Amino acid sequence: MNFRQTLTHGLWRDLPPFRLVLGLCPALAVTATAENGLGMGIAVTFVLIFSNMFISLLRKVIPDKVRIASYIVVIATLVVIVELAMKAFFFPLSQQLGIYIPLIVVNCIILGRAEAFASRNPVHLSMADGLSVGLGFSMSLTLVGSIREILGVGTWFGMAVFPDSFEPFGFMVQAPGAFLCLGLLLGLMNAWSRHRGEFFIQT
Amino acid sequence: MDLLLLAIGSIFVNNILLAQYLGNCPFCGVSKKLGTAIGMGVAVIFVATLASIFTWVVYHYLLKPQGLEYLKTLVFILVIAALVQFVEIFIKKQSKGLYDSLGIFLPLITTNCAVMGIALLNIKHGFGFVQMIVFSASSAAGFAVAILLFASVRERLFISSVPTAMRGTAIALVTAGVMSLAFMGFAGMTN
Amino acid sequence: MLIPALILGGIAVIAAVGLGVAARVFYVEEDPRIKGILDLLPGANCGGCGLAGCSACAAAIVEGKAEVNACVVGQTEVARSIAAFMGMEMKDNEPQVACPDCQGGARATRKYEYGGFDDCRAAMLFYHGPLKCDHGCLGLGTCVRACQFGAITMGDEGLPLFDPARCVGCGACVQSCPKGIISIISETTKILHWNLYSECLAPCRQKCPAQVNVPKYIEHIKNGEYDLALLTVKENNPLPLSTGRVCPEPCSLACRRQIEDEPVAINYLKRFAADWELNSGKRLHVPVAPDTGKKVTIIGGGPGGLSAAYYLRRLGHEVTLFDQMPALGGMLRYGIPEYRLPKAILDWEIQGILDLGVKARTGVKLGRDFTLDFLRAEGADAIFLAVGAWRDRELGLSETTPDGVVSGIKFLEGFQDDPLQKVKGRSIVIGGGNTAIDAARTSLRAGAESVTIVYRRSRDEMPANPVEIVAAEEEGIQFRFLCAPNKFITKGNQLTGLEVLGMELGEPDPSGRRRPVPVEGTEEVIPCEQLVEAVGQTPDLDFLEQEGMPALPTTRWTTIDAKEQTLQTDVPYIFTGGDCFTGPGLMVEAISAGRFAARSIHFYMTTGEIPPIEHRQTELVPDSIFDSIAGVIPKPKVHEPVVSLEDRLGTFKEVEGTIDEEDASYEARRCLNCGTYCYDHDMEMERMEDGESVAG
Amino acid sequence: MREIAHLVLVLGLICSLSAGALAYVRTSLAPRIEMQEDFYVRGPALERLFQQPAKELLTEKLTVPVGDQDYPVFYLRQDGEVTGLAVEAAGKGGYSGDIVIMIGLDPRSDRVLGVEIVSHSETPGLGAKVELASFRQQWTGLILDQPLALAGDGGGIDAITGATFSSRAMVEGSNQVVDLLRDHRQEILSLIEQRSADGATSGGES
């Protein structure tokens, strides 16, 4: 992959979590509102860029046997930094996201990109990859969050989009709505890929 | 009585999978066959309880006295990863049968956010030791129940007519949504 | 800052040491490849592959239960490195695609109405499915759902349609089909395939010696896909131009349509497709497998040898053809006259085979110019003997052959060398086979005053193609049935007549035909100046007597002895087939033998062992014989354009023409697209709905 | 053995480095985090209880340790007299963890000024109804001299239908405050006196 492809592949071709069916937990858990989705997406993007960077830098130093453990430590460190920074600067958001912030550690996307990309590519490409996948993830999460917020609360990023007479479908902001929304979006995505004649793999 | 309520509450009402969204990757990945789902469920109960005990001890007797609570994420993931790997190596050597039925699921659990999530929730809720054990085991049992039910549904789903675009994970998620809706019905139980 | 660093570092050290020690103490022996693959996998343990984590995935790949691209996270890069690790580099393998083997499906008769789950496997649980047909498609679309690549769709007729462009050959559909109809096949498997009793075979396909998938190519013609139709034919028959002209159509004798009206003119359709390629000006691309490095030598450039050469080449082997005659084609060239098979067309067809990379050496005769031991020493991994049956049988009416008497093959061969030679006076041809008719019709064209065919049985027993007999009658050839040659009448050494004896039919002989018995006192002399003895041929096996030949056993009919199941002779690397193995037979039988030998030779050279074919279909499947068919409206078959009688005499112009596209489409629509148990009875109704007028 | 030592060394080093880095980040961000926490979590509750801007109130923070738990206490002083106390307590036993409440009272009469929810993670539409004013109204005006209880348990607080669990957690939290006041009232008041004396001195100096 050249630089441009690296920079764009996460936006459609490998768009998480739709194309890469990974990182479902945050996609479900924190997308009750568009703001939460965006916040989570930015947090993941930050971790992705820097974990890719450090792992790419360290890829020649780390012995193969402890590479997964080392990656986890690097990722976890970055996650804790995000956690602290969020508390210091975006406190309400950090309250909303709760334990899902520390759980970024076990988000397969990050470890997956680290192993599949950063551990075998130079720094600038790895960071571009992190940015690309991270942006794709933020986009998806914001989209799911927007749909759920608009239908479930009747607002978008806190702004009212429906007249007062609108009775929101409360269940959209709860767990069932999350599953349903993500499932239907995935289906839509598949239909679109098929329409465009692309192959799609999913498990 | 409180403990019983806690257990029932965390199995049904606050089901870790269907209400807290934790552990969805293996939920979608490993729920295609009932047999695999059972193995995974049992393995999660075992590991989650064990990992919770370890992390709880580390947190309360190592991190907290030193004022290092903020390191819990980092420490927990290390402890869980090492623990799981150790248990895997141990079981593989000691009991072939146990390894085949349970052990092979162990690596999958390291990055299962349910396990890490339960460990973190224990701290967040400020549970005591006994509460912690009850909560961990029953939350993991909640995971097992959900994945078992889900695998049964998916086995049926496999032989039914699903629109092409919805096949696979898409329909699985929608089904999970319906199940989650059903689990909301349990909310009245603990009141 | 020091304390946290110490604590965390300490935890890490303890964990690492603990694990290191544990890994030693609790070490378990396992396949080192698992470890190798595990190192290549992302190690995220996400379960995206549907397996229990990366080590389970690695183990599954090693055991072959998972594909090298099982990992969702790793994507192509990881898949490629795993493939490289497993020694399965993407060498240019033949593409493998899924292929269904059922044309019937929903139109098969039902045992009961099924209203359960829309899933074939579920339906199978109830008395093996709702269809009477054991091997037919249930049409519930389980394979459609199993395909991850959108290569299968459900067609209008309740049959899945496969898109080879999208198929990646993953085999998910094969596993999902409870009837085992779908198989993942490459061109190689198609060539090596032989019809089995357990398959769904239309009667025509069962009867065709070359096992051509007749309904499939007719279906393609119906859809206007002439290229696909021809490629379908070429899967089993490399000489469609020639067979399209001279084949006596055993397939159409079995055509189920003749229960209602006339059989489908299958051969006209084949000829139409073949001529379409000829006239299109360019050849269709025929896939050839990657080179195997094995060498095969084929002796005999007739239909059997050409067929074997074609298929062995397509299987990736290096093939050299040897022929004693100056040009390839064997009996097609030297035994079949120009007016039936123009030489230009034959040349074009043979060139197509040579273009695949088959080497040919003509004008060299086994035994005279080279020996089998020599070929072996030259590096041939296998030898295929397809020397045909070139020795004329003789009646032995006199010790010396008078002037004017010639044997059938010699006579016809002479016209290949000099097409313009003339036949003077009255001509008699003895015999009732195709060679006799060919000789008679050739004589007529070469200027004979009159031509008489003398045959000792009646017309019904004549082995020649009925079409040929009719054409000969039309052209004015006289027939003397129940009439046996008795004595040459000569003047000096010149023939002046033939004394014949009347016969009558007695008890049936072992061949099932009634034995002709002479009737006393019916001698009669037919005056003639020219006489062709066409009373049968035998293989010329004199070369076996030469030095430098391995000891090959022969039979009492002077044919080469070989195992019928494999066509392998007692010398393992020598195979035989065609006329020199069976005695004189049809061209299409020789073509079939060529492919069968190619199969055996391929297995012999690549694996050393030739797997026997279980349940090989050798005669009609009894269930496929119907005595009535419902729902078919009679419609006459098309007729080939023929050259008028006036234009035929004196020239060797091809007599029969090719039907045009419109007729081909009409004729293709007459096909009932049969399976073993089923046929397309909705076809007529459908056509009426289309508003097309129903003729006849 | 060398190999294992190498592995251990690398892993240990990475861990130590990251722990060091984190400790640094943590130290530099700690004051901000605490401020943010107080402002967003406690601020709104305090504002509603005392009808005064949170910024000023938040500076008047005491921490009362009881056992292994710290109770944050805020106060309002008028004319040298403490006219309001706000005590925060974590009510145990909600569905999804503790319900942190803040009870405002007038220390002169022990009359409750109001009860506010600081944080909770209850189910929206069910347990989250503890936020409703109509439910919290039941506390206002009560005198906190004895433990409270739900009506179902023989007390005076009517539980929210369908959310007994959450309601009980609220009551549990209130009872912690009752205990705290009973046992530590003097201690708290003297702490406040001391703090305001310090503040007055420093104020006088400036």
Side-chain angles (χ1 to χ4, degrees):
Chain A
M1 273 198 289
N2 60 27
F3 188 73
R4 230 183 89 198
Q5 281 174 323
T6 314
L7 207 54
T8 52
H9 76 108
L11 300 181
W12 172 258
R13 214 191 69 203
D14 298 324
L15 180 68
F18 297 111
R19 292 308 195 81
L20 292 173
V21 190
L22 297 173
L24 283 176
C25 310
L28 291 163
V30 303
T31 53
T33 65
E35 191 189 345
N36 287 359
L38 184 63
M40 183 56 149
I42 291 171
V44 170
T45 309
F46 172 83
V47 176
L48 254 174
I49 295 175
F50 287 96
S51 72
N52 269 10
M53 182 186 91
F54 283 116
I55 286 159
S56 179
L57 280 174
L58 295 174
R59 70 185 194 273
K60 297 205 173 107
V61 185
I62 299 175
D64 217 34
K65 284 200 171 154
V66 289
R67 94 201 127 112
I68 303 286
S70 311
Y71 296 169
I72 290 182
V73 172
V74 170
I75 294 168
T77 309
L78 288 161
V79 169
V80 177
I81 292 176
V82 169
E83 203 182 348
L84 290 172
M86 213 170 227
K87 264 196 185 144
F89 301 103
F90 305 100
F91 192 82
L93 188 65
S94 91
Q95 289 302 98
Q96 293 275 334
L97 298 181
I99 62 159
Y100 297 104
I101 289 285
L103 283 178
I104 295 177
V105 175
V106 284
N107 188 331
C108 319
I109 294 179
I110 296 174
L111 201 54
R113 289 327 290 174
E115 169 70 20
F117 199 92
S119 63
R120 38 197 92 169
N121 282 292
V123 181
H124 68 287
L125 277 181
S126 303
M127 286 180 79
D129 177 74
L131 180 68
S132 161
V133 173
L135 279 185
F137 191 63
S138 311
M139 246 165 52
S140 309
L141 254 61
T142 315
L143 175 71
V144 179
S146 303
I147 295 176
R148 288 180 65 195
E149 187 182 345
I150 291 171
L151 294 178
V153 193
T155 60
W156 188 58
F157 281 102
M159 302 172 290
V161 288
F162 284 116
D164 287 345
S165 56
F166 173 75
E167 182 67 42
F169 328 154
F171 93 105
M172 278 305 282
V173 288
Q174 291 178 333
F179 285 108
L180 221 59
C181 185
L182 204 65
L184 292 174
L185 274 177
L186 200 59
L188 215 63
M189 198 92 163
N190 290 343
W192 176 240
S193 308
R194 264 182 102 84
H195 173 70
R196 287 175 35 133
E198 292 169 12
F199 289 161
F200 60 97
I201 309 168
Q202 47 164 256
T203 45
Chain B
M1 196 59 200
D2 276 356
L3 290 177
L4 184 67
L5 271 182
L6 183 66
I8 290 174
S10 40
I11 292 178
F12 294 108
V13 184
N14 276 324
N15 187 287
I16 188 123
L17 242 166
L18 297 171
Q20 317 245 36
Y21 319 95
L22 295 176
N24 265 297
C25 292
F27 181 55
C28 291
V30 193
S31 60
K32 284 176 196 153
K33 292 251 162 63
L34 196 56
T36 334
I38 294 172
M40 184 69 187
V42 175
V44 167
I45 296 180
F46 175 70
V47 173
T49 313
L50 204 64
S52 292
I53 295 172
F54 269 79
T55 51
W56 191 87
V57 169
V58 168
Y59 183 80
H60 283 279
Y61 294 98
L62 193 65
L63 298 181
K64 214 174 170 188
Q66 301 289 339
L68 296 174
E69 289 96 333
Y70 62 92
L71 281 182
K72 65 177 186 294
T73 311
L74 187 44
V75 172
F76 281 14
I77 187 76
L78 267 179
V79 169
I80 292 173
L83 183 74
V84 169
Q85 205 170 352
F86 185 84
V87 172
E88 191 201 353
I89 295 173
F90 184 76
I91 291 185
K92 201 172 188 175
K93 176 77 180 177
Q94 298 308 87
S95 160
K96 178 89 175 79
L98 194 60
Y99 181 76
D100 285 343
S101 56
L102 190 104
I104 52 164
F105 296 103
L106 287 172
L108 195 49
I109 291 171
T110 315
T111 49
N112 182 344
C113 35
V115 174
M116 177 86 173
I118 291 171
L120 287 169
L121 283 172
N122 280 325
I123 306 303
K124 191 186 165 211
H125 292 177
F127 286 139
F129 190 76
V130 180
Q131 275 176 310
M132 177 271 294
I133 289 187
V134 171
F135 177 78
S136 311
S138 51
S139 286
F143 179 89
V145 167
I147 199 167
L148 240 148
L149 290 173
F150 194 56
S152 321
V153 174
R154 270 189 102 168
E155 283 196 349
R156 295 293 162 91
L157 213 56
F158 191 71
I159 57 167
S160 50
S161 171
V162 176
T164 325
M166 290 300 290
R167 277 190 264 143
T169 316
I171 191 71
L173 283 171
V174 172
T175 316
V178 176
M179 270 177 70
S180 167
L181 209 56
F183 265 66
M184 279 175 80
F186 288 119
M189 267 173 68
T190 45
N191 281 302
Chain C
M1 215 180 289
L2 192 64
I3 294 171
L6 280 179
I7 288 183
L8 205 61
I11 292 177
V13 168
I14 291 170
V17 171
L19 284 178
V21 171
R24 290 254 163 131
V25 175
F26 301 113
Y27 180 72
V28 178
E29 194 76 42
E30 68 175 3
D31 194 329
R33 288 180 299 169
I34 295 180
K35 175 79 182 63
I37 293 181
L38 198 54
D39 285 345
L40 295 169
L41 285 171
N45 280 319
C46 63
C49 50
L51 294 158
C54 292
S55 53
C57 184
I61 292 174
V62 169
E63 288 163 29
K65 285 180 191 159
E67 297 293 320
V68 290
N69 60 359
C71 182
V72 195
V73 177
Q75 297 169 332
T76 329
E77 301 254 323
V78 171
R80 194 165 296 148
S81 50
I82 293 173
F85 178 82
M86 293 291 287
M88 301 189 285
E89 274 105 328
M90 318 289 183
K91 55 182 174 193
D92 44 353
N93 279 329
E94 276 191 295
Q96 307 248 325
V97 290
C99 199
D101 192 27
C102 176
Q103 317 256 345
R107 65 178 195 239
T109 340
R110 275 163 200 282
K111 280 190 283 202
Y112 59 88
E113 278 307 317
Y114 173 75
F117 263 131
D118 263 0
D119 183 84
C120 302
R121 285 161 301 189
M124 277 292 277
L125 299 175
F126 299 98
Y127 307 101
H128 255 69
L131 298 184
K132 268 197 179 154
C133 172
D134 272 347
H135 24 66
C137 172
L138 293 170
L140 296 173
T142 300
C143 49
V144 177
R145 289 185 289 277
C147 183
Q148 303 281 345
F149 302 96
I152 313 176
T153 46
M154 189 47 82
D156 299 335
E157 292 170 3
L159 276 174
L161 303 176
F162 287 70
D163 180 357
R166 285 187 152 228
C167 178
V168 297
C170 67
C173 49
V174 179
Q175 283 175 2
S176 77
C177 180
K179 291 267 193 172
I181 293 166
I182 311 170
S183 39
I184 292 294
I185 50 177
S186 62
E187 292 294 326
T188 300
T189 17
K190 280 187 204 165
I191 293 171
L192 300 179
H193 177 80
W194 222 252
N195 280 355
L196 304 177
Y197 277 117
S198 57
E199 281 174 289
C200 177
L201 304 165
C204 47
R205 202 173 155 194
Q206 296 178 39
K207 262 297 179 190
C208 175
Q211 311 193 335
V212 175
N213 192 342
V214 177
K216 190 174 167 198
Y217 82 74
I218 294 187
E219 181 79 12
H220 282 310
I221 292 177
K222 193 160 99 188
N223 300 335
E225 302 153 339
Y226 307 132
D227 50 343
L228 296 179
L230 191 60
L231 287 175
T232 306
V233 176
K234 286 191 174 183
E235 275 165 24
N236 302 56
N237 175 359
L239 302 166
L241 280 168
S242 309
T243 30
R245 284 167 168 76
V246 301
C247 189
E249 292 187 292
C251 49
S252 81
L253 295 179
C255 181
R256 203 174 273 161
R257 185 154 186 127
Q258 67 192 324
I259 298 169
E260 278 309 311
D261 48 10
E262 291 173 281
V264 175
I266 299 170
N267 211 27
Y268 294 180
L269 288 170
K270 185 196 296 134
R271 177 171 171 171
F272 168 77
D275 281 18
W276 168 84
E277 187 198 16
L278 177 73
N279 297 326
S280 74
K282 70 170 195 227
R283 293 181 196 275
L284 292 178
H285 171 72
V286 175
V288 172
D291 282 336
T292 58
K294 301 283 181 194
K295 281 185 181 178
V296 194
T297 302
I298 295 170
I299 298 160
L306 285 171
S307 165
Y310 176 82
Y311 290 114
L312 284 165
R313 181 66 206 122
R314 283 186 65 176
L315 292 167
H317 307 298
E318 189 186 326
V319 182
T320 316
L321 264 175
F322 284 79
D323 199 284
Q324 56 170 341
M325 290 302 197
L328 292 175
M331 279 297 176
L332 292 179
R333 182 179 299 276
Y334 296 100
I336 294 176
E338 176 81 12
Y339 65 87
R340 280 179 70 199
L341 174 59
K343 298 298 168 283
I345 288 177
L346 181 67
D347 287 340
W348 197 84
E349 181 141 275
I350 291 171
Q351 192 55 45
I353 294 171
L354 297 180
D355 284 352
L356 294 180
V358 173
K359 285 179 250 165
R361 299 186 63 182
T362 51
V364 284
K365 191 173 185 324
L366 180 62
R368 184 186 71 196
D369 302 315
F370 61 96
T371 63
L372 292 174
D373 287 349
F374 166 77
L375 294 176
R376 183 69 173 166
E378 282 281 274
D381 292 294
I383 296 170
F384 180 49
L385 285 177
V387 294
W390 282 69
R391 173 166 293 170
D392 280 298
R393 254 197 229 144
E394 282 168 21
L395 283 170
L397 293 181
S398 59
E399 284 181 12
T400 54
T401 312
D403 286 350
V405 174
V406 66
S407 70
I409 295 300
K410 285 269 156 15
F411 178 76
L412 291 170
E413 212 181 301
F415 278 88
Q416 173 61 26
D417 295 338
D418 177 13
L420 298 175
Q421 63 174 289
K422 292 287 169 201
V423 172
K424 293 183 193 74
R426 293 159 292 187
S427 177
I428 287 181
V429 178
I430 304 172
N434 278 325
T435 313
I437 306 266
D438 286 342
R441 293 178 74 187
T442 302
S443 301
L444 202 65
R445 281 164 173 76
E449 278 171 37
S450 70
V451 182
T452 309
I453 288 178
V454 172
Y455 181 50
R456 58 185 181 138
R457 302 182 205 221
S458 70
R459 181 176 165 154
D460 291 344
E461 277 87 29
M462 276 184 88
N465 302 355
V467 198
E468 296 287 314
I469 303 171
V470 172
E473 280 174 334
E474 278 173 7
E475 287 166 11
I477 288 162
Q478 294 159 0
F479 285 83
R480 295 292 301 271
F481 296 114
L482 291 170
C483 191
N486 201 24
K487 198 159 76 179
F488 294 137
I489 310 294
T490 54
K491 189 176 173 185
N493 203 29
Q494 171 62 41
L495 186 76
T496 56
L498 175 72
E499 186 186 288
V500 294
L501 195 61
M503 308 290 271
E504 62 181 14
L505 291 176
E507 293 301 306
D509 67 1
S511 78
R513 296 185 299 182
R514 291 171 71 187
R515 187 194 298 274
V517 184
V519 183
E520 292 296 323
T522 52
E523 290 88 348
E524 178 190 355
V525 174
I526 307 172
C528 68
E529 284 72 45
Q530 164 97 23
L531 187 138
V532 181
E533 281 182 38
V535 289
Q537 294 117 270
T538 54
D540 177 2
L541 300 181
D542 290 349
F543 62 86
L544 287 177
E545 314 297 320
Q546 312 275 336
E547 262 182 48
M549 300 286 178
L552 279 179
T554 54
T555 65
R556 61 191 176 93
W557 299 282
T558 48
T559 56
I560 302 170
D561 198 16
K563 295 180 201 82
E564 200 171 338
Q565 295 304 313
T566 56
L567 296 181
Q568 191 175 28
T569 64
D570 284 357
V571 183
Y573 62 89
I574 297 181
F575 295 77
T576 188
D579 285 359
C580 65
F581 172 62
T582 57
L586 300 177
M587 168 194 180
V588 69
E589 286 166 351
I591 287 173
S592 167
R595 186 168 71 96
F596 196 52
R599 173 190 183 272
S600 299
I601 292 171
H602 174 77
F603 282 120
Y604 168 76
M605 291 194 305
T606 51
T607 65
E609 233 170 275
I610 306 166
I613 302 171
E614 305 281 342
H615 312 296
R616 176 175 163 191
Q617 189 260 331
T618 50
E619 55 198 31
L620 274 178
V621 178
D623 290 319
S624 68
I625 304 167
F626 281 40
D627 50 14
S628 71
I629 48 172
V632 175
I633 298 164
K635 235 172 80 162
K637 78 172 190 181
V638 295
H639 288 283
E640 271 188 313
V642 285
V643 173
S644 71
L645 279 177
E646 299 81 67
D647 285 351
R648 286 188 212 174
L649 300 178
T651 71
F652 282 92
K653 210 159 134 190
E654 189 174 12
V655 171
E656 293 174 346
T658 313
I659 55 174
D660 60 17
E661 195 168 344
E662 195 183 327
D663 279 351
S665 168
Y666 166 86
E667 192 61 28
R669 269 159 228 280
R670 291 184 70 236
C671 175
L672 298 174
N673 203 351
C674 305
T676 311
Y677 297 84
C678 60
Y679 56 90
D680 196 355
H681 44 74
D682 295 334
M683 187 185 64
E684 295 292 337
M685 303 305 293
E686 191 185 304
R687 188 133 8 97
M688 280 193 284
E689 280 162 19
D690 286 350
E692 202 180 301
S693 67
V694 179
Chain D
M1 216 54 221
R2 258 184 82 94
E3 198 197 346
I4 289 187
H6 181 215
L7 301 182
V8 169
L9 194 72
V10 171
L11 199 60
L13 214 63
I14 291 181
C15 283
S16 306
L17 279 177
S18 61
L22 284 181
Y24 174 75
V25 172
R26 159 78 187 179
T27 333
S28 41
L29 288 179
R32 231 198 120 82
I33 292 177
E34 205 188 339
M35 222 170 74
Q36 287 265 325
E37 210 168 293
D38 280 352
F39 183 75
Y40 280 105
V41 178
R42 295 169 176 139
L46 273 177
E47 261 177 32
R48 285 195 297 272
L49 282 177
F50 295 151
Q51 314 292 330
Q52 286 203 0
K55 272 236 160 92
E56 289 167 29
L57 293 167
L58 282 172
T59 53
E60 313 283 359
K61 181 183 175 187
L62 293 174
T63 310
V64 183
V66 176
D68 62 348
Q69 201 155 2
D70 289 344
Y71 288 95
V73 177
F74 301 88
Y75 60 91
L76 190 63
R77 237 171 96 94
Q78 275 173 338
D79 311 326
E81 199 179 4
V82 179
T83 54
L85 267 185
V87 185
E88 187 188 290
K92 299 266 189 298
Y95 273 152
S96 340
D98 297 351
I99 299 178
V100 182
I101 59 168
M102 191 177 280
I103 294 183
L105 52 92
D106 186 336
R108 295 168 296 188
S109 57
D110 273 0
R111 204 170 279 278
V112 175
L113 297 171
V115 61
E116 293 289 336
I117 313 289
V118 175
S119 69
H120 76 88
S121 42
E122 300 302 277
T123 327
L126 276 170
K129 282 187 180 162
V130 293
E131 286 178 352
L132 291 178
S134 56
F135 174 68
R136 288 183 288 115
Q137 208 72 53
Q138 298 181 78
W139 268 260
T140 316
L142 288 179
I143 297 178
L144 283 189
D145 51 1
Q146 56 183 13
L148 302 177
L150 289 181
D153 303 335
I157 306 281
D158 292 325
I160 292 168
T161 323
T164 320
F165 231 88
S166 317
S167 313
R168 192 171 284 135
M170 289 276 289
V171 170
E172 203 269 341
S174 317
N175 290 342
Q176 287 181 37
V177 178
V178 173
D179 291 346
L180 180 81
L181 287 180
R182 190 182 58 222
D183 300 342
H184 301 276
R185 172 192 295 269
Q186 285 317 312
E187 195 182 324
I188 295 169
L189 287 176
S190 59
L191 267 171
I192 297 174
E193 285 306 324
Q194 197 186 334
R195 168 78 66 89
S196 44
D198 292 351
T201 331
S202 59
E205 274 170 5
S206 62

